[in-house]
């Protein structure tokens, strides 16, 4: 009887996994390439690296612009497959003519957003994924919550967050990542997003999803319920990226914020600029074999 139950459970797991994969790969979830990527002649060269641009949207949150409270993160795995750099970007960073990343992204859509990120980092974006915060909240619940560190105590949407470790659940994860509790043009919010992504990656790595098909199928199903992505980001490709992350040691995954500087204008408004000194070094590291050392250095500096 025990063997029969085990066999039935395994069959159920395979069926659930198949359903989750079918939903993720469904045509309704796919964004056409022409609606995502800029013209090829203005893009960086294709390489053996894998780079994914992830946007986590908070559609139910009150925001000044569509993008302002969203999470923009780039996951870059070099060709050697021996390291992973995860970089969050502050949407308030000025790009050109006093316009912020968020403003330009809202006006130009995905092709302009991808072009900006490729210009900032100097690497080609292979995949894009847009994930609803509510779907991510279901993943957080399935993983048992996320322990996430906050540098400051704050209150947002009726939830009190403490200075130190906060245990996020489906209801509070989106609030923590989208709230702007301090007048610093999203710097604290971006650090919170970085902390949440770091905790999420570690939870996915430690969750034993590969050994527990039921849990793996459930997590994939939650992701699939709220995601849109490029055509090439199939479940097969997603599994390759996930396997690369899972096989790396924690020290071989750096989750950082893209370096910026802040200043106040004559009216007292905080202005965010990409760090003119750090950015050339970051771009150089992404294009060289020095990537692990450079990103570990950024982590040591608190980025």
């Amino acid at each position: 009887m025990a063997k029969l139950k085990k066999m039935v459970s395994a069959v159920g797991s395979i069926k659930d996994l198949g359903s989750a994969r079918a939903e993720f790969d469904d045509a309704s979830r796919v964004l056409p390439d022409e609606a995502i990527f800029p013209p090829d002649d203005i893009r960086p060269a294709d390489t053996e690296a894998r780079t994914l641009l992830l946007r986590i949207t908070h559609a139910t949150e009150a925001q000044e612009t569509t993008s302002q409270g969203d999470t923009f993160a780039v996951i870059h795995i070099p060709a050697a497959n021996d390291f992973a750099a995860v970089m969050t970007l502050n949407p308030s960073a000025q790009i050109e003519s006093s316009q912020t990343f968020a403003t330009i992204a809202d006006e130009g859509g995905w092709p302009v957003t991808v072009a900006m990120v490729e210009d900032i980092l100097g690497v080609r974006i292979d995949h894009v994924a847009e994930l609803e915060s509510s779907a991510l909240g279901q993943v957080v619940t399935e993983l048992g919550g996320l322990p996430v560190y906050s540098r400051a105590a704050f209150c947002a949407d009726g939830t009190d967050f403490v200075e130190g470790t906060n245990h996020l659940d489906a209801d509070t994860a989106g609030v923590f990542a989208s709230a702007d509790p301090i007048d610093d043009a999203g710097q604290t919010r971006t650090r919170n997003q970085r902390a949440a992504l770091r905790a999420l990656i570690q939870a996915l790595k430690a969750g034993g999803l590969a050994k527990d098909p039921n849990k793996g199928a459930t997590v994939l199903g939650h992701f699939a319920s709220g995601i849109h992505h490029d055509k090439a980001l199939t479940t097969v490709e997603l599994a390759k990226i996930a396997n690369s992350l899972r096989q790396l040691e924690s020290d071989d995954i750096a989750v950082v914020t893209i370096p910026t500087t802040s200043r106040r204008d004559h009216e007292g408004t905080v202005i965010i600029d990409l760090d003119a000194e750090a950015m050339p070094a970051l771009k150089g590291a992404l294009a060289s074999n020095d990537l692990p050392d450079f990103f570990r250095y950024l982590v040591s500096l608190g980025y």
Side-chain angles (χ1 to χ4, degrees):
M1 182 63 71
K3 289 184 178 180
L4 179 59
K5 289 182 178 180
K6 186 175 182 179
M7 182 179 69
V8 171
S9 176
V11 171
S13 300
I14 293 172
K15 184 178 179 180
D16 291 342
L17 182 59
S19 297
R21 292 183 62 175
E23 182 175 6
F24 189 96
D25 293 333
D26 188 86
S28 65
R29 297 289 175 188
V30 175
L31 302 170
D33 284 0
E34 59 269 21
I36 302 173
F37 298 112
D40 200 63
D41 58 355
I42 68 169
R43 306 186 65 196
D46 197 4
T47 69
E48 294 299 317
R50 282 195 181 92
T51 307
L52 182 148
L53 172 58
L54 171 66
R55 177 179 179 176
I56 302 173
T57 62
H58 301 274
T60 61
E61 301 296 331
Q63 301 167 5
E64 293 181 4
T65 69
T66 303
S67 302
Q68 197 62 55
D70 290 352
T71 298
F72 289 89
V74 176
I75 302 172
H76 178 78
I77 303 173
N81 219 40
D82 59 352
F83 196 81
V86 182
M87 299 160 277
T88 57
L89 171 71
N90 185 347
S92 296
Q94 291 203 10
I95 302 300
E96 61 178 23
S97 302
S98 299
Q99 288 191 304
T100 66
F101 181 93
T103 300
I104 300 173
D106 289 339
E107 293 177 354
W110 268 116
V112 173
T113 302
V114 171
M116 282 194 293
V117 174
E118 290 184 336
D119 183 62
I120 290 168
L121 300 180
V123 297
R124 188 181 183 95
I125 299 298
D126 301 298
H127 303 293
V128 301
E130 183 173 287
L131 180 66
E132 297 170 8
S133 177
S134 57
L136 182 58
Q138 296 179 68
V139 173
V140 170
T141 296
E142 187 65 28
L143 295 173
L146 297 179
V148 177
Y149 183 84
S150 174
R151 293 186 181 184
F154 66 95
C155 179
D157 285 2
T159 301
D160 292 317
F161 298 98
V162 302
E163 178 183 355
T165 300
N166 295 268
H167 293 276
L168 306 184
D169 56 25
D171 295 325
T172 58
V175 177
F176 182 82
S178 63
D180 193 12
I182 298 174
D183 178 24
D184 62 358
Q187 294 287 72
T188 296
R189 177 173 56 207
T190 305
R191 282 195 292 267
N192 287 350
Q193 292 170 351
R194 176 198 65 192
L197 280 175
R198 180 181 291 148
L200 175 64
I201 290 171
Q202 292 304 322
L204 289 169
K205 280 174 57 63
L209 305 185
K211 296 180 180 179
D212 186 346
N214 285 308
K215 191 172 185 179
T218 301
V219 167
L220 179 59
H222 290 324
F223 276 123
S225 70
I227 200 167
H228 289 87
H229 53 85
D230 65 285
K231 184 178 180 179
L233 187 61
T234 62
T235 49
V236 174
E237 179 66 9
L238 182 67
K240 292 178 182 178
I241 295 173
N243 286 336
S244 295
L245 294 173
R246 185 171 61 247
Q247 292 170 9
L248 293 173
E249 298 294 333
S250 295
D251 290 343
D252 293 326
I253 301 176
V255 185
V256 303
T257 55
I258 294 175
T260 56
T261 58
S262 62
R263 54 190 169 89
R264 289 187 182 270
D265 63 14
H266 64 282
E267 296 179 349
T269 303
V270 178
I271 307 297
I272 304 299
D273 300 296
L274 295 172
D275 192 320
E277 294 185 1
M279 290 309 300
L282 185 147
K283 292 175 73 171
L286 287 169
S288 72
N289 295 325
D290 298 330
L291 186 152
D293 290 341
F294 180 81
F295 276 89
R296 289 189 182 112
Y297 178 62
L298 285 183
V299 171
S300 74
L301 294 179
Y303 281 101

